Amino acid sequence: MPVYPSTPASIHYSLHAHDYPYAEIYESGVKFAERYPKVVNGSVHSLHMPSHIYQRTGQFPEAASGNEQSVTSADEFSMSGALKYRGGPVGSLSWNPALLVSGYGFAYNAGNVYHSLEYEAYEVLQSCNFPEAALETERMGVASFQALAMGGGRTIEQPDTDHKITNLGSAWFNSTTYYGWFYRMEARLYQEAALSSLLGGVGKAAYEGPGVGGAASPG
């Protein structure tokens, strides 16, 4: 353990150092997962970090709780007014009337929010909470679009030529990575809903899904 064991940075990197699929390693990381939320209580990514360890130990309720706090922290900051002059209004109805979290103001940390949602969707599925997983997946689609829209790409014209250079910023990574994960998660929920139907509606697996052009596909 580093010289300063209670600093957020020390605990954060200790969690990364114990995030390996070997019990003799990840079990030693539980103490850091338990300690971190007591040190940081408003950082989106930090509140998510303990779930890396809790997933490996099978403590899925604890992991899901941490990721729920992570997303809530992002939303509270977005709605605080701190982002009033960045990215447009928060919860703008012109973006997507179905979702409060749709404003550009929520896009400032879309990558970390997506990451927390992805983990939480997986964690709630471990207790067969399909409706909650569907909600997390729906918002993953929104976060994917926000991350893509805020990719920072731009086109530069070269002087004295007809050539232009287009830099997509992070948009290419976001579109190929986030959307890839989102569609796989959505497909899995459709499969589970179909299986539930074949078995006579076992559990609460019914999933209509956001669908193309629905709430998870703003644009």
Side-chain angles (χ1 to χ4, degrees):
M1 186 65 184
V3 177
Y4 303 102
S6 296
T7 63
S10 295
I11 303 174
H12 192 112
Y13 286 108
S14 294
L15 288 169
H16 278 297
H18 290 83
D19 186 14
Y20 285 91
Y22 306 102
E24 62 271 22
I25 297 179
Y26 65 69
E27 288 178 353
S28 298
V30 173
K31 57 180 177 289
F32 303 115
E34 295 173 341
R35 185 182 306 167
Y36 207 16
K38 300 174 184 177
V39 177
V40 292
N41 56 17
S43 172
V44 179
H45 187 58
S46 296
L47 289 170
H48 151 80
M49 276 303 298
S51 66
H52 280 256
I53 301 299
Y54 287 141
Q55 278 200 12
R56 297 200 182 279
T57 60
Q59 296 172 266
F60 295 109
E62 289 86 348
S65 176
N67 282 306
E68 182 177 3
Q69 293 175 43
S70 169
V71 175
T72 297
S73 174
D75 291 347
E76 289 178 348
F77 180 70
S78 295
M79 291 184 288
S80 69
L83 301 172
K84 182 178 180 180
Y85 298 106
R86 172 173 177 145
V90 173
S92 169
L93 295 181
S94 63
W95 173 300
N96 190 331
L99 294 170
L100 172 65
V101 297
S102 60
Y104 268 111
F106 281 95
Y108 83 100
N109 210 3
N112 279 328
V113 171
Y114 179 97
H115 190 52
S116 298
L117 288 165
E118 178 191 21
Y119 266 62
E120 187 179 358
Y122 172 77
E123 290 148 6
V124 298
L125 280 175
Q126 306 313 303
S127 59
C128 297
N129 190 341
F130 296 102
E132 183 64 29
L135 290 175
E136 308 304 341
T137 302
E138 184 175 13
R139 176 133 187 220
M140 282 167 59
V142 175
S144 297
F145 185 83
Q146 289 170 331
L148 177 62
M150 301 296 283
R154 58 183 180 142
T155 299
I156 302 175
E157 294 187 9
Q158 291 184 300
D160 303 322
T161 71
D162 293 330
H163 299 295
K164 295 181 180 180
I165 299 176
T166 299
N167 177 6
L168 295 176
S170 61
W172 177 254
F173 173 83
N174 293 335
S175 63
T176 57
T177 304
Y178 291 164
Y179 272 116
W181 292 335
F182 160 61
Y183 287 133
R184 283 197 292 272
M185 179 67 78
E186 188 177 36
R188 182 164 66 180
L189 286 169
Y190 277 120
Q191 290 174 341
E192 288 161 345
L195 179 61
S196 173
S197 177
L198 289 173
L199 295 176
V202 176
K204 297 182 179 180
Y207 179 62
E208 296 179 357
V212 177
S217 302

